[in-house]
């Protein structure tokens, strides 16, 4: 039997009983049958926590466990036996008067022994078959939770990074780690135990309302303690077996990164060399150094690990879209910082060392830049090709061109500045691919009928399509 209104489930006439007790108290005028003063509740605070940010006041909602016994130690009721904490409002007449008084000023995790005299318990009437008349009641109570309907989300910033390029707003997508506990410290969930962040939208109905509010204004790398009252969490129903009804929740949150589906690449120039003339454009072949990290500083890739710059042709879909965008317009020697949202990076699936939906931070330095080749070309002439190309290429004039002659001719044109191979590839491989393209019947030599310039082939293809 509970000192908390659960008696109404045991005795249907409990409300009438309560009225009788209240009337009896008034009639007694707080005098004992012998004419002396009545005893008050005896409170023994045998465990008081060091930190007590909130004490129970009249009108607060509380959750607690208790054992109830008589003077001889016989137990008449226990919330532990039922496996459910007691929850309700203090100081509004729903508890016996002795319990109302005994709970006032308690802290979460505080333990008290309460001695409730009969006139503050069930009086001279008692509860038939359960509590004899004029019984002194002994309660051992531990407070687990306290909140008020006027409460809001409490946010305490534990660590805020010095640099905050972006703060969480409604409709943003966030990735964060958290530990979740009840107000008494009982853990109910942790993203760390799953070795993965919690990824979701803010302000879109995916989170409890209190967490939506508690994440607003956070910076990547920031740590917060967020205390959420039940009506902004899981309310009267709780959640499964881990969150009881009417439970306040405490979250320790570390924000990993934040972005919005509408975000573009954020670019910051760290170093701009003097006298920058030609800037990189689509089609340019670039060599650049880079460090790639997540927003929390975790490095996932670096060109310095390979001992040489990364190579890429802008606009050729060889790098992620955000990096391709961020490299546009760079000068040789320039350094930039690029913040790339996931939809312009590795997306929801991520990549090696990159979690899904991760914002990427790149520091890039352009080492060199040269004009690339049109798409599909392996070699281009700087001027017009020789009028008698086949005869010039047939070095021994035997009417056919083997790989050795072809390679020698192309290398000579590059050395004399008459033509250019596609940058960024092994020249031997490029020349080998060129030879294979011209050796139509794959017999190991090129005949006059087989030799065609790619520009002429493109013109023929357009003519055929027309």
């Amino acid at each position: 039997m509970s000192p908390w209104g659960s008696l109404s489930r045991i005795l249907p006439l409990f409300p009438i009983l309560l009225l009788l007790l209240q009337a009896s108290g008034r009639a007694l005028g707080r005098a004992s049958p012998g004419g002396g003063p009545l005893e008050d509740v005896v409170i023994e605070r045998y465990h008081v926590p060091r930190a007590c940010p909130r004490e129970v006041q009249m009108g607060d909602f509380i959750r607690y466990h208790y054992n109830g016994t008589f003077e001889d130690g016989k137990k008449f009721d226990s919330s532990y036996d039922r496996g459910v904490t007691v929850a309700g409002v203090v100081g509004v007449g729903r508890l016996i008067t002795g319990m109302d008084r005994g709970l006032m000023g308690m802290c979460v995790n505080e333990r008290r022994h309460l001695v409730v005299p009969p006139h503050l318990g069930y009086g001279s009437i008692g509860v038939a078959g359960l509590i004899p008349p004029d019984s002194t009641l002994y309660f051992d109570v531990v407070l687990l939770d306290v909140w008020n309907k006027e409460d809001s989300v409490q946010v305490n910033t534990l660590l805020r990074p010095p640099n905050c390029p972006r703060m969480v707003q409604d409709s943003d997508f966030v990735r964060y780690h958290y530990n979740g506990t009840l107000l008494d410290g009982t853990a109910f969930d942790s993203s760390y135990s799953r070795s993965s962040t919690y990824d979701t939208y803010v302000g879109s109905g995916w989170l409890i309302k209190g967490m939506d509010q508690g994440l607003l204004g956070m910076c990547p790398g920031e740590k917060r303690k967020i205390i959420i009252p039940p009506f902004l969490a899981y309310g009267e129903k709780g959640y499964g077996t881990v969150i009881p009804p009417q439970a306040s929740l405490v979250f320790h949150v570390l924000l990993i990164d934040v972005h919005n589906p509408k975000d573009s690449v954020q670019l910051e120039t760290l170093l701009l060399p003097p006298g920058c003339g030609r800037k990189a454009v689509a089609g340019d072949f670039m060599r650049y150094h880079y460090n790639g990290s997540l927003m929390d500083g975790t490095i996932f890739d670096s060109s310095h690990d390979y001992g040489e710059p990364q190579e890429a042709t802008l606009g050729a879909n060889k790098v992620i879209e955000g990096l391709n965008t961020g490299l546009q317009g760079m000068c040789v020697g320039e350094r930039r910082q690029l913040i790339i949202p996931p939809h312009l990076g590795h997306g929801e699936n991520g990549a090696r060392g990159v979690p899904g939906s991760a914002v990427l931070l790149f520091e890039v330095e352009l080492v060199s830049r040269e004009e690339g080749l049109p798409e599909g070309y392996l070699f281009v002439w700087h001027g017009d090709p020789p009028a008698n190309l086949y005869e010039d290429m047939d070095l021994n004039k035997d009417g056919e061109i083997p790989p050795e002659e072809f390679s020698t001719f192309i290398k000579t044109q590059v050395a004399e500045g008459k033509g250019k191979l596609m940058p960024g590839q092994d020249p031997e491989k490029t020349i080998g691919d060129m030879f294979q393209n011209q050796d139509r019947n794959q017999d190991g030599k090129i005949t006059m009928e087989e030799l065609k310039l790619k520009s002429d082939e493109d013109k023929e293809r357009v003519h055929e399509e027309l």
Side-chain angles (χ1 to χ4, degrees):
M1 181 189 70
S2 165
W4 179 257
S6 59
L7 276 175
S8 60
R9 295 192 294 271
I10 301 172
L11 296 176
L13 298 180
F14 177 68
I16 299 175
L17 174 62
L18 180 60
L19 291 174
L20 290 173
L21 287 172
Q22 292 171 340
S24 174
R26 288 194 297 271
L28 287 171
R30 296 191 56 80
S32 69
L38 292 174
E39 298 175 357
D40 203 345
V41 177
V42 176
I43 299 174
E44 178 191 352
R45 305 177 70 186
Y46 70 93
H47 174 74
V48 181
R50 291 183 179 179
C52 184
R54 169 88 170 259
E55 295 181 350
V56 174
Q57 299 178 18
M58 186 175 296
D60 281 343
F61 289 76
I62 61 171
R63 284 193 313 110
Y64 64 95
H65 263 309
Y66 73 92
N67 283 315
T69 62
F70 298 118
E71 187 175 5
D72 61 2
K74 181 181 179 182
K75 184 166 58 179
F76 62 84
D77 193 20
S78 172
S79 61
Y80 296 98
D81 292 347
R82 293 190 296 275
V84 179
T85 55
V86 179
V89 185
V90 176
V92 294
R94 297 182 184 177
L95 289 167
I96 58 175
T97 305
M99 184 63 79
D100 258 341
R101 295 182 185 180
L103 293 172
M104 290 296 177
M106 280 193 81
C107 308
V108 171
N109 286 326
E110 180 178 342
R111 293 177 178 269
R112 289 183 176 184
H113 287 307
L114 307 178
V115 182
V116 179
H119 68 280
L120 298 178
Y122 296 103
S124 59
I125 299 177
V127 178
L130 294 172
I131 297 178
D134 297 317
S135 293
T136 298
L137 306 179
Y138 296 78
F139 292 99
D140 189 277
V141 182
V142 56
L143 186 68
L144 304 177
D145 201 343
V146 55
W147 57 278
N148 194 285
K149 60 182 179 181
E150 304 299 327
D151 288 348
S152 58
V153 175
Q154 300 176 49
V155 174
N156 182 17
T157 299
L158 306 176
L159 172 67
R160 190 174 180 89
N163 182 32
C164 183
R166 169 75 176 273
M167 293 188 293
V168 175
Q169 302 176 12
D170 271 339
S171 80
D172 280 344
F173 189 88
V174 295
R175 295 195 309 117
Y176 62 91
H177 271 303
Y178 69 90
N179 287 317
T181 68
L182 305 180
L183 207 59
D184 68 339
T186 302
F188 62 81
D189 194 17
S190 172
S191 63
Y192 296 97
S193 65
R194 295 188 292 274
S195 300
S196 63
T197 55
Y198 191 81
D199 308 341
T200 189
Y201 287 94
V202 174
S204 301
W206 295 101
L207 291 165
I208 56 176
K209 292 181 179 179
M211 185 61 83
D212 267 336
Q213 296 177 20
L215 292 171
L216 291 177
M218 284 193 79
C219 305
E222 182 175 342
K223 293 182 178 181
R224 282 184 178 182
K225 179 181 179 181
I226 302 172
I227 302 177
I228 303 174
F231 54 87
L232 295 176
Y234 294 99
E236 297 179 359
K237 295 183 179 180
Y239 187 82
T241 59
V242 293
I243 298 178
Q246 300 289 19
S248 301
L249 306 182
V250 181
F251 290 94
H252 283 80
V253 177
L254 168 61
L255 185 67
I256 302 300
D257 65 29
V258 52
H259 76 277
N260 195 284
K262 299 178 182 178
D263 285 349
S264 57
V265 176
Q266 299 178 49
L267 186 155
E268 179 184 354
T269 299
L270 304 177
L271 174 66
L272 184 63
C276 176
R278 172 80 154 71
K279 297 183 179 182
V281 296
D284 282 352
F285 179 77
M286 306 176 66
R287 291 182 175 88
Y288 59 94
H289 276 300
Y290 69 90
N291 287 319
S293 64
L294 307 179
M295 291 301 287
D296 65 353
T298 302
I299 295 177
F300 62 84
D301 197 12
S302 174
S303 63
H304 299 282
D305 293 340
Y306 309 114
E308 57 185 21
Q310 175 75 10
E311 298 178 342
T313 300
L314 280 186
N317 297 320
K318 299 298 183 181
V319 295
I320 57 175
E321 185 176 349
L323 193 54
N324 190 76
T325 299
L327 292 171
Q328 301 276 354
M330 286 192 77
C331 302
V332 173
E334 182 178 347
R335 289 174 53 212
R336 286 181 177 180
Q337 177 180 279
L338 310 175
I339 298 178
I340 301 175
H343 54 275
L344 299 176
H346 292 290
E348 295 181 2
N349 295 326
R352 187 181 65 177
V354 178
S357 299
V359 178
L360 308 180
L361 176 65
F362 281 94
E363 287 194 3
V364 294
E365 179 182 3
L366 184 58
V367 176
S368 66
R369 180 205 60 76
E370 57 183 297
E371 292 186 17
L373 301 186
E375 187 175 354
Y377 283 72
L378 300 175
F379 175 91
V380 294
W381 296 96
H382 290 318
D384 292 329
N388 299 310
L389 178 59
Y390 190 84
E391 288 78 0
D392 291 353
M393 196 176 290
D394 183 10
L395 302 180
N396 62 6
K397 310 304 179 185
D398 64 353
E400 58 185 30
I401 303 170
E404 296 78 12
E405 286 186 344
F406 183 85
S407 177
T408 299
F409 176 81
I410 295 297
K411 290 178 180 179
T412 300
Q413 307 312 302
V414 173
E416 294 177 354
K418 296 179 180 179
K420 177 182 178 181
L421 287 167
M422 184 177 69
Q425 279 198 11
D426 177 14
E428 297 293 344
K429 181 180 185 308
T430 301
I431 294 172
D433 291 342
M434 292 172 62
F435 182 86
Q436 292 295 322
N437 291 340
Q438 297 297 322
D439 184 11
R440 315 288 176 171
N441 61 8
Q442 302 298 301
D443 63 352
K445 57 183 181 294
I446 300 173
T447 63
M448 184 176 292
E449 291 75 21
E450 290 176 321
L451 183 65
K452 286 186 180 180
L453 294 175
K454 189 174 189 315
S455 57
D456 294 334
E457 290 182 337
D458 291 343
K459 291 177 182 178
E460 291 176 2
R461 185 175 298 109
V462 172
H463 179 74
E464 291 172 358
E465 291 174 352
L466 291 175

